[in-house]
Amino acid sequence: MAMVSEAKVNGSGVEAPADVLPALAEKPAGLPPGKYALVGWDMDTTGRRLIDEICQIAAFTPKQTYSQYIMPYGDLNPGARRRHNVRVVTVGRYRMLKDTNTHKILKTKSEISALTDFLDWLEKEKGDGSVILIYHEPRRLSPTMLLEALTRYKLLDRFKTIVAGFADSYALAADKCKSTVKSVSLRVLARVLLDADTLSVDSALDRATAAYRIVEHLAQGEQQEVGAGGEGTTASKDMVETARVWARPVHTELEALANFKKLLERQNTFRPVFAPLLRLARPERKRVTQLRRLLADAGLLYDQLKDAWQEQKLEGLEKQLKVLTVSAKEEDIKELIDIFDCHFDPAKEPKGLKPRIPNRTRVTSSAGETGEAEGSTSESQKTSTQNSPNKTNNDVKAEPSQNTAPEAVVAN
């Protein structure tokens, strides 16, 4: 897992600063001094878009753990099935969650029930202080998805009375271990710091445990080795202080969520242009997603480019896309100009990316994997409400218009 992506080059040929991962973009503000309980935490989801659902939520402390599988309304996309080794199966008239390694049916709850139980568990752990949730992720997507789910079920206010903030062990490890390891992925850190050569990262509980132990190890420094049976039963003062300094308050993550939603709204305005291109093969979809994200990050809207083309044709597009010269390569801008020019003038033949003509004779299609790309909507999510298990009225998904992603999506 690379810590930074390749540097981008602007139109003048001068290298621009590297596009740093969200976890490393800025140092966390930290939390004020106080009494905090530390909890390792992670989630498995049906995909990496904001509208995707939680299928497992887990938490770890040295004294006890919490783990609960959740029955999603939609199916897991292919990438999520491979990462988490679970899939949705239909047995008779009922949909169930199945472990693809053990082939056992997993005991599940609805999302609202699992989140309520999770808050009950956290409330017991916090004591007379507040909780800091420790997780390990380069793109800061998990807190965003958790807050979105809590908002959907009107549990956010209760969550804010329990949890003070989120501490990302990825950012902490990148700062503390930058001179000793090239990658700060969970597997590498577990092997180097925790002597765990065969760490499984399929389960959210395993990742939550590893994230907690990594912070524990880095807080202790060279005083003692962690991972060989010497873990403490409670968080030390040094560990609490380290997590406090590297934590982001809940309100900071809520601001990031609000900004991300605005970006998705701008991004979705380009659906008439990019929707056909998202049916291409996966490498082309990834390229299209990157180009669309450049436009959204620059604050551009579809109507702006449409008006510019109607008034001044190609010259109008070039003027509007000049704002990208700082953040995009020259070839990116040329490709965008070609895409929009051919979109507004259908008589022109695109030079680069071309929409794929569906081949109805194939049993499977590359469009089935569009769940990994921003802005795509899998067929399983369109029909999932009809195939869902017994549901309560509260278990209704509420993000109809934000069909975008992160991998980071959402991932870019």
Side-chain angles (χ1 to χ4, degrees), residues 108-129:
T108 60
K109 289 187 176 182
S110 65
E111 194 172 44
I112 186 172
S113 297
L115 289 172
T116 302
D117 291 347
F118 179 56
L119 294 182
D120 291 339
W121 186 87
L122 286 178
E123 207 157 35
K124 295 176 182 177
E125 292 298 315
K126 83 181 186 73
D128 56 354

Side-chain angles (χ1 to χ4, degrees), residues 58-125:
F60 168 87
T61 66
K63 291 184 178 180
Q64 68 179 63
T65 61
Y66 173 88
S67 178
Q68 179 61 57
Y69 284 97
I70 296 170
M71 187 65 229
Y73 291 161
D75 296 339
L76 283 74
N77 69 34
R81 290 200 296 267
R82 289 191 295 268
R83 282 193 300 273
H84 310 316
N85 290 322
V86 294
R87 66 184 300 128
V88 175
V89 296
T90 302
V91 180
R93 292 184 297 173
Y94 299 96
R95 298 171 72 250
M96 302 178 183
L97 205 60
K98 181 179 180 179
D99 188 314
T100 56
N101 286 334
T102 64
H103 304 289
K104 292 183 178 179
I105 299 298
L106 300 169
K107 185 178 180 181
T108 60
K109 289 187 176 182
S110 65
E111 194 172 44
I112 186 172
S113 297
L115 289 172
T116 302
D117 291 347
F118 179 56
L119 294 182
D120 291 339
W121 186 87
L122 286 178
E123 207 157 35
K124 295 176 182 177
E125 292 298 315

Side-chain angles (χ1 to χ4, degrees), residues 22-206:
L24 309 177
E26 57 182 2
K27 187 172 180 179
L31 295 170
K35 190 172 182 179
Y36 298 103
L38 304 185
V39 175
W41 159 79
D42 213 315
M43 300 190 311
D44 292 340
T45 57
T46 58
R48 296 188 176 184
R49 300 168 299 169
L50 190 60
I51 61 171
D52 284 314
E53 303 168 83
I54 302 170
C55 56
Q56 185 191 13
I57 186 166
F60 168 87
T61 66
K63 291 184 178 180
Q64 68 179 63
T65 61
Y66 173 88
S67 178
Q68 179 61 57
Y69 284 97
I70 296 170
M71 187 65 229
Y73 291 161
D75 296 339
L76 283 74
N77 69 34
R81 290 200 296 267
R82 289 191 295 268
R83 282 193 300 273
H84 310 316
N85 290 322
V86 294
R87 66 184 300 128
V88 175
V89 296
T90 302
V91 180
R93 292 184 297 173
Y94 299 96
R95 298 171 72 250
M96 302 178 183
L97 205 60
K98 181 179 180 179
D99 188 314
T100 56
N101 286 334
T102 64
H103 304 289
K104 292 183 178 179
I105 299 298
L106 300 169
K107 185 178 180 181
T108 60
K109 289 187 176 182
S110 65
E111 194 172 44
I112 186 172
S113 297
L115 289 172
T116 302
D117 291 347
F118 179 56
L119 294 182
D120 291 339
W121 186 87
L122 286 178
E123 207 157 35
K124 295 176 182 177
E125 292 298 315
K126 83 181 186 73
D128 56 354
S130 298
V131 171
I132 297 177
L133 294 178
I134 298 172
Y135 69 106
H136 189 94
E137 190 181 7
R139 301 207 175 266
R140 293 175 57 191
L141 182 59
S142 292
T144 301
M145 296 186 73
L146 176 62
L147 293 173
E148 180 68 11
L150 291 167
T151 303
R152 186 159 58 241
Y153 299 114
K154 297 179 173 58
L155 295 172
L156 183 60
D157 290 337
R158 184 184 175 194
F159 178 80
K160 289 192 289 186
T161 64
I162 301 170
V163 177
F166 299 87
D168 191 352
S169 59
Y170 186 95
L172 174 62
D175 181 75
K176 302 292 184 183
C177 305
K178 57 187 175 184
S179 60
T180 56
V181 294
K182 292 183 179 180
S183 170
V184 289
S185 68
L186 207 55
R187 279 196 176 96
V188 171
L189 292 176
R191 185 174 65 250
V192 174
L193 302 181
L194 309 181
D195 296 328
D197 294 329
T198 58
L199 174 70
S200 171
V201 295
D202 300 338
S203 168
L205 182 58
D206 294 334

Side-chain angles (χ1 to χ4, degrees), residues 216-282:
E216 184 179 37
H217 181 97
L218 294 175
Q220 289 178 351
E222 302 297 329
Q223 295 177 11
Q224 82 177 64
E225 289 293 329
V226 177
E231 297 93 338
T233 57
T234 58
S236 66
K237 291 182 179 179
D238 289 339
M239 183 180 178
V240 172
E241 182 64 17
T242 300
R244 181 188 72 80
V245 171
W246 283 87
R248 290 184 173 89
V250 172
H251 68 80
T252 300
E253 296 295 348
L254 286 171
E255 291 172 3
L257 174 60
N259 292 334
F260 187 59
K261 285 184 175 181
K262 292 178 182 177
L263 183 141
L264 296 184
E265 289 174 2
R266 294 197 300 270
Q267 196 167 260
N268 285 340
T269 65
F270 295 104
R271 179 179 297 277
V273 180
F274 293 107
L277 300 177
L278 286 169
R279 292 194 290 269
L280 299 173
R282 185 168 183 173

